Amino acid sequence: MTKIIDGKKVSKEIKENLKKVIELFSSKPKLAIIQVGDDSASEIYVNMKRRETTKIGIDFMLIKYDSDINEKIIEETIKSLNKDKSINGILIQLPLPSNMDAKRILNLIDPIKDVDGLTNYNIVKLINKEDAIIPCTPFGIIKLLEYYNIDVRDKKVVIIGRSNLVGRPLCNMLLNMDATVTVCHSKTKNLKDYTKRADVLFTATGKKHLITRDMIQKDAVLIDVGINRENGKLSGDVDFDNVYKKCSMITPVPGGVGPMTIAMLLYNLVSCYKKQNNKE
Amino acid sequence: MTKIIDGKKVSKEIKENLKKVIELFSSKPKLAIIQVGDDSASEIYVNMKRRETTKIGIDFMLIKYDSDINEKIIEETIKSLNKDKSINGILIQLPLPSNMDAKRILNLIDPIKDVDGLTNYNIVKLINKEDAIIPCTPFGIIKLLEYYNIDVRDKKVVIIGRSNLVGRPLCNMLLNMDATVTVCHSKTKNLKDYTKRADVLFTATGKKHLITRDMIQKDAVLIDVGINRENGKLSGDVDFDNVYKKCSMITPVPGGVGPMTIAMLLYNLVSCYKKQNNKE
């Protein structure tokens, strides 16, 4: 029987634990989000973050700018949020408008408030296997593996996607866990050659139904990081209905990696709060 | 016919070009090396660096400490070298004694003088595909690929070794070049399964003759980054004599990647000099 990896359940447990931890704090942790423009997916994500933070006792503040805002103003905002002791985490909702230098802007965030783990400081910490704030999506994936006792040691692991947000940090983390890791991407020829051999397959492309039944090994574990929105309906990179019986375990979309990403954002925020208040 | 990838020849060309470039400079570039203790391999490498820098018109300065030196003194030395305008590059000869915090010490180097590309600053630049100083060994490997027109696009590339010095930066660079990359390591089971399928195989383990004839695909390209010293004789990870006829191209050890590493050190030093003197 195929086991459905229930990210909703795991994330719920994490959030319940966080809620209890927060109740013991002397003040409420607070997350500030800077959103620029009105990308429709961003709108959905920001609302979700507002809802989820509030639910577990985290204060939420949204600073929203029109897309023609001067970068200088964003810069000043980040600087003042860095200084503001009531703010424990700062998140720049990506994507920023394409004319902006997202990397430069992200790196203005004080690393101790960098809940997304996207500053250079935290990227290097992760590579050096030091105590880093880990980007929420790969962090959530690793938590799922732990929860379901999916041991990647000595395993053939394949990642589809080489982004700095998911593919590459995931590759680093899985190598640290002694997996043998192959990274495929849009320029890979004969993708099936690789996916067919994967004990654990991670896919993060955003191409609907890229992974079909013939492309996977029997009893593989499938972690679907893809998000495709069509007529308000979500689907992943995996042709779930046709594939799932062939796997040993699989994440659905929605309800797999997605809820974990938001749970790990909350987790990171609580870690930031603790560090800033020396509660560790 | 198998083609021997001649790192000696390529590095010679690079060094000759650098020599011409340096002759046009108004002052001599200068490299400072800090060596701690008397590791015998380090001794050899430092002498080689002294010889090679001098040969092309680079000034060389060695600061050598006993292994029981106080880290504070190294720290002060780096700080004064950072300030010293006559010094264009600073290199900490690795390994440092195990009781020292190598990462912390490396990161004291001003990134603009970091000829080895090992500061966090340059590591992140490389990941972000920005103008980084690239670590000499992976940089030398990429130069060899370019020189011999070895196109890795869409290719099955396998790297054995997951170190921060070679395997991981190489993985990043090859992904940027559109290769599909698998990283194997000491915990990989059935290594042959992977090596057998590699169009281009990079091995950086330091295990003599790890790669045997049966482990490679016919007409593969083999890049041997291993260095093993036995009775004063060098050999690589590849059982060269038995393997080479089966490949299309192969690097010998010595005379393959080794000479490229030192050439790229010189290249990096000249780049640092140019940056410091706004000659770019």
Side-chain angles (χ1 to χ4, degrees):
Chain A
M1 266 292 287
T2 304
K3 193 162 196 167
I4 305 287
I5 296 176
D6 189 347
K8 230 170 158 171
K9 185 183 99 182
V10 183
S11 72
K12 198 173 163 224
E13 284 182 22
I14 292 172
K15 288 186 281 184
E16 280 167 358
N17 282 332
L18 290 173
K19 195 172 178 223
K20 283 180 204 151
V21 169
I22 291 169
E23 278 163 7
L24 300 174
F25 288 166
S26 55
S27 61
K28 267 185 155 185
K30 188 168 182 179
L31 173 67
I33 296 192
I34 298 175
Q35 183 185 1
V36 184
D38 46 12
D39 179 82
S40 64
S42 288
E43 204 68 27
I44 295 173
Y45 291 133
V46 167
N47 283 331
M48 193 196 305
K49 287 167 189 172
R50 181 198 297 275
R51 197 174 59 233
E52 296 290 336
T53 47
T54 316
K55 241 193 242 171
I56 66 162
I58 292 173
D59 273 342
F60 178 92
M61 175 170 77
L62 176 63
I63 300 165
K64 197 173 169 183
Y65 295 116
D66 281 345
S67 58
D68 58 357
I69 184 83
N70 188 322
E71 268 190 54
K72 276 261 168 252
I73 294 178
I74 302 178
E75 201 173 313
E76 291 308 318
T77 304
I78 296 174
K79 281 184 191 162
S80 78
L81 293 172
N82 282 341
K83 276 186 224 143
D84 184 342
K85 290 209 164 151
S86 78
I87 302 291
N88 306 103
I90 305 168
L91 187 156
I92 314 284
Q93 184 64 42
L94 299 175
L96 286 174
S98 57
N99 62 320
M100 290 187 182
D101 185 346
K103 246 182 241 309
R104 196 187 68 84
I105 293 173
L106 281 170
N107 275 297
L108 296 171
I109 299 174
D110 184 338
I112 207 174
K113 297 190 176 184
D114 170 28
V115 280
D116 255 349
L118 295 180
T119 55
N120 291 343
Y121 180 90
N122 280 306
I123 290 172
V124 163
K125 285 241 168 196
L126 182 61
I127 292 175
N128 291 341
K129 300 178 215 170
E130 291 164 1
D131 179 32
I133 299 175
I134 302 169
C136 305
T137 300
F139 196 11
I141 293 168
I142 300 297
K143 285 277 169 192
L144 277 184
L145 298 180
E146 285 171 6
Y147 191 93
Y148 284 92
N149 290 315
I150 300 164
D151 189 358
V152 296
R153 250 182 312 171
D154 329 319
K155 294 280 169 55
K156 280 184 191 160
V157 158
V158 174
I159 300 168
I160 313 176
R162 56 180 159 172
S163 74
N164 283 351
L165 275 179
V166 182
R168 296 194 199 211
L170 196 54
C171 172
N172 268 311
M173 294 166 84
L174 292 168
L175 281 175
N176 292 346
M177 293 162 80
D178 290 339
T180 298
V181 183
T182 300
V183 183
C184 302
H185 44 78
S186 55
K187 299 286 162 56
T188 296
K189 268 189 187 159
N190 304 319
L191 186 61
K192 187 176 161 181
D193 255 26
Y194 300 94
T195 56
K196 259 278 191 202
R197 301 163 52 83
D199 298 318
V200 188
L201 176 64
F202 301 83
T203 171
T205 70
K207 281 186 197 150
K208 191 182 168 186
H209 293 185
L210 172 73
I211 305 299
T212 48
R213 187 179 160 87
D214 58 310
M215 289 175 78
I216 67 156
Q217 196 182 99
K218 200 180 167 304
D219 292 331
V221 175
L222 254 67
I223 310 287
D224 190 347
V225 196
I227 296 180
N228 311 282
R229 226 174 274 277
E230 229 175 50
N231 307 322
K233 224 190 132 207
L234 284 188
S235 58
D237 291 351
V238 177
D239 180 9
F240 188 90
D241 291 341
N242 290 310
V243 165
Y244 89 96
K245 277 191 184 157
K246 200 176 171 187
C247 320
S248 62
M249 290 181 158
I250 185 169
T251 59
V253 177
V257 174
M260 292 302 292
T261 296
I262 177 98
M264 298 330 287
L265 170 65
L266 306 174
Y267 183 101
N268 281 346
L269 183 75
V270 169
S271 299
C272 287
Y273 177 95
K274 283 184 186 168
K275 268 185 204 157
Q276 288 156 35
N277 294 279
N278 299 314
K279 299 233 174 208
E280 272 187 322
Chain B
M1 268 291 288
T2 304
K3 194 162 197 167
I4 306 288
I5 297 176
D6 190 348
K8 230 169 157 175
K9 184 182 99 183
V10 183
S11 71
K12 199 173 162 222
E13 284 182 22
I14 292 173
K15 287 186 283 184
E16 280 167 359
N17 282 332
L18 290 173
K19 194 171 177 226
K20 282 179 204 152
V21 170
I22 291 169
E23 278 164 5
L24 301 175
F25 288 167
S26 55
S27 61
K28 268 183 153 185
K30 188 168 180 179
L31 172 68
I33 295 192
I34 297 175
Q35 184 186 0
V36 185
D38 45 13
D39 179 81
S40 64
S42 288
E43 204 67 28
I44 294 172
Y45 292 132
V46 168
N47 283 331
M48 194 196 303
K49 287 166 189 171
R50 182 199 297 275
R51 197 174 60 232
E52 296 290 336
T53 47
T54 316
K55 241 193 243 171
I56 65 162
I58 292 173
D59 273 340
F60 179 91
M61 176 170 75
L62 175 64
I63 300 166
K64 198 173 170 183
Y65 294 116
D66 282 344
S67 58
D68 58 357
I69 184 82
N70 188 321
E71 268 190 53
K72 275 261 168 249
I73 295 179
I74 301 178
E75 203 174 312
E76 290 308 319
T77 304
I78 296 173
K79 281 184 190 162
S80 79
L81 293 172
N82 281 342
K83 275 186 223 145
D84 184 342
K85 291 210 163 151
S86 77
I87 302 290
N88 305 104
I90 305 169
L91 186 156
I92 314 283
Q93 184 64 42
L94 298 176
L96 285 175
S98 57
N99 62 319
M100 289 187 182
D101 185 347
K103 245 179 244 307
R104 196 186 68 84
I105 293 174
L106 281 169
N107 276 297
L108 296 171
I109 298 173
D110 184 338
I112 207 174
K113 297 190 175 184
D114 170 27
V115 279
D116 255 347
L118 296 180
T119 56
N120 291 342
Y121 180 90
N122 280 306
I123 291 172
V124 163
K125 283 240 167 196
L126 183 60
I127 292 174
N128 290 341
K129 299 179 217 170
E130 292 164 359
D131 178 32
I133 300 175
I134 302 169
C136 305
T137 300
F139 196 11
I141 293 168
I142 300 297
K143 284 279 169 190
L144 277 184
L145 298 180
E146 285 172 4
Y147 191 94
Y148 284 93
N149 291 315
I150 300 164
D151 189 358
V152 297
R153 250 183 313 171
D154 329 318
K155 294 283 167 55
K156 281 184 191 161
V157 159
V158 173
I159 300 168
I160 313 175
R162 56 179 159 173
S163 74
N164 283 351
L165 276 179
V166 181
R168 296 194 199 211
L170 196 54
C171 171
N172 268 312
M173 294 166 83
L174 292 166
L175 281 174
N176 292 346
M177 294 162 78
D178 290 339
T180 298
V181 183
T182 300
V183 183
C184 303
H185 44 77
S186 56
K187 300 287 162 52
T188 296
K189 268 187 189 161
N190 305 320
L191 185 60
K192 187 175 159 180
D193 255 26
Y194 300 93
T195 57
K196 260 282 196 199
R197 300 163 52 82
D199 297 318
V200 188
L201 176 63
F202 301 83
T203 170
T205 71
K207 281 187 197 149
K208 190 181 167 184
H209 294 184
L210 173 73
I211 305 301
T212 48
R213 188 179 160 86
D214 57 310
M215 289 173 78
I216 67 156
Q217 195 183 102
K218 200 178 167 306
D219 292 330
V221 174
L222 253 67
I223 309 288
D224 190 347
V225 196
I227 296 180
N228 310 282
R229 227 175 274 277
E230 229 174 51
N231 307 321
K233 224 189 132 205
L234 284 187
S235 59
D237 291 352
V238 177
D239 180 8
F240 188 90
D241 291 342
N242 290 309
V243 164
Y244 88 94
K245 278 190 184 160
K246 200 176 172 187
C247 319
S248 61
M249 291 181 159
I250 185 169
T251 59
V253 177
V257 174
M260 291 302 292
T261 297
I262 177 96
M264 299 330 288
L265 171 65
L266 306 174
Y267 184 99
N268 280 345
L269 184 75
V270 168
S271 299
C272 287
Y273 177 95
K274 283 184 186 167
K275 268 184 205 158
Q276 288 156 37
N277 294 278
N278 298 314
K279 300 232 172 209
E280 272 185 326

